[in-house]
Amino acid sequence: MPHSPFEIESLAEFDARVASGSISGFRVQSVDLTDRTHLLLTADVHGAVFLGCPMAEDAARRVQRDGALVFPVVPDLPFDPYRGALYTPDELFAGLARGYGETPDARSYDWFRRTRAEHDIFAAVIRGMHDESMSNALDERLRAGRPVVGVMGGHALRRGGEDYAGAARLGRALVRAGFDVATGGGPGAMEAANLGAYGAEFDDATLDEAVLMLGKAPSFTPPPEPSAWVVPPVTEWAEAAFAVRERWPGGGDSIGIPTWFYGHEPPNAFAGHIAKYFANALREDGLLARSTAGVVFLPGAAGTVQEVFDAATPNYYESRGEPRPMVLVGRDHWSAKLPAWPLLSALAAGRSMAPRIALVDSVAEAPEALLRLGAAG
């Protein structure tokens, strides 16, 4: 999707813009300009902002002297705080063959854990810039796209079982019904929904076979320290997902929005675009706010309960406009085991959100319920 006309996110875009002799007022985001010194020494740069763009020292001095702001490259980081695009699974899991602890994903969590413990204000600023870059890239991905359905559910759901397969079929059905699927981007039910979206491009038997393959590495026990990530079972868990992707390349796209705040939960490899955040609150609110066509809540525990009412609050107050559909899957789970449904129903009574909530027995009912609730007045 197109980004802001004032943003430059690639060398090709920079060359096209600077051909006029001016990039005044533009934001150049994480573009290597070390071979564009002659242009930086002559172009009109007043009011431009360079975010993490490597450039020659004389070019940096000149653009700052002539009214541009230069945010320097931050050395020794396992991530780019200025990046202009969402992550891909291949980027976050690069180096997996040497163990999960060697991947950018694990190293970024290690950095986050260490700098947060040190209360480092500079690191906090870097985290904030990274997360805002993620939000900007996420909006670019979703702009003018298909309606987005959020799928929430527990991270502890094991691969290979019927509940996991059901969540995968839900993701597949939503994509085939014309929705964009967005999840919390982690393991369990979130992974299953992203897997289903990935499998929407193939016949139904492919998804069943993929679930069986993943069942050979059904879960993992989070290690106590990041240094332990160089050994199984996290590595094997991730490798199983990439084996599925390798066997069936070119699957359907979906979005994962995980967080390093829960560093013991690695992202899943089936979301084609991953917006990973350091701030969990920003990630949670952003995921729900962008679920424009509603949210499906699969059985989960405390985190999913929190998400139910994080979604219910703007529906109750209509702070995001017209209430959005909310479908809770699992009548016994949400009525008896964790009785969120009675409270949600009580909140909705007599309000415009009342015709936009539903409790269904199975994931097979969720797509139709979303469509029905979305059409409700």
Side-chain angles (χ1 to χ4, degrees), residues 75-79 106-120 123 127 225-226 278:
D76 302 322
L77 287 179
F79 61 91
R107 291 169 52 231
S108 295
Y109 172 61
D110 191 28
W111 175 89
F112 170 56
R113 192 178 64 111
R114 174 173 48 79
T115 58
R116 185 176 57 167
E118 295 168 351
H119 303 287
D120 185 340
R127 294 195 298 268
E225 296 292 335
F278 289 105

Side-chain angles (χ1 to χ4, degrees), residues 157-169 192 195 207-208 210-212 214-216 218:
L157 184 64
R158 292 169 64 87
R159 291 167 166 173
E162 179 52 37
D163 289 341
Y164 184 95
R169 289 192 292 270
L195 169 65
L207 186 59
D208 296 337
V211 169
L212 288 175
L214 291 170
K216 297 175 182 177

Side-chain angles (χ1 to χ4, degrees), residues 21-105:
S22 174
I23 52 171
S24 177
F26 281 85
R27 280 77 174 105
V28 190
Q29 194 170 349
S30 195
V31 178
D32 189 341
L33 300 175
T34 52
D35 291 332
R36 297 296 187 271
T37 299
H38 63 293
L39 295 172
L40 292 171
L41 291 175
T42 57
D44 177 10
V45 296
H46 182 76
V49 180
F50 296 88
L51 297 157
C53 298
M55 62 180 73
E57 289 186 13
D58 54 342
R61 287 194 297 268
R62 186 264 162 173
V63 299
Q64 291 179 87
R65 185 187 68 234
D66 284 18
L69 287 176
V70 177
F71 287 74
V73 176
V74 182
D76 302 322
L77 287 179
F79 61 91
D80 178 2
Y82 311 109
R83 64 178 288 131
L86 299 179
Y87 293 102
T88 66
D90 288 332
E91 287 178 308
L92 288 175
F93 286 100
L96 182 63
R98 299 189 302 274
Y100 180 62
E102 297 298 312
T103 65
D105 187 67

Side-chain angles (χ1 to χ4, degrees), residues 9 24 32 100 109 113 125 143 242 310 315 329:
E9 297 177 351
S24 177
D32 189 341
Y100 180 62
Y109 172 61
R113 192 178 64 111
V125 170
R143 189 175 295 142
F242 279 97
D310 281 347
N315 276 356
V329 177

Side-chain angles (χ1 to χ4, degrees), residues 364-373:
E365 301 171 76
E368 186 279 329
L370 274 173
L371 293 170
R372 171 169 47 83
L373 298 180

Side-chain angles (χ1 to χ4, degrees), residues 10 46 61 96 120 132 151 213 253 275 306 346:
S10 70
H46 182 76
R61 287 194 297 268
L96 182 63
D120 185 340
E132 286 301 321
V151 179
M213 284 182 62
D253 191 21
Q306 176 181 331

Side-chain angles (χ1 to χ4, degrees), residues 109-176:
Y109 172 61
D110 191 28
W111 175 89
F112 170 56
R113 192 178 64 111
R114 174 173 48 79
T115 58
R116 185 176 57 167
E118 295 168 351
H119 303 287
D120 185 340
I121 183 60
F122 178 65
V125 170
I126 293 299
R127 294 195 298 268
M129 294 182 71
H130 171 274
D131 285 359
E132 286 301 321
S133 295
M134 281 292 100
S135 292
N136 186 59
L138 183 58
D139 286 336
E140 289 172 4
R141 162 62 180 78
L142 297 174
R143 189 175 295 142
R146 301 192 299 178
V148 179
V149 172
V151 179
M152 311 297 179
H155 68 274
L157 184 64
R158 292 169 64 87
R159 291 167 166 173
E162 179 52 37
D163 289 341
Y164 184 95
R169 289 192 292 270
L170 171 64
R172 181 179 64 192
L174 290 172
V175 169
R176 290 178 175 176

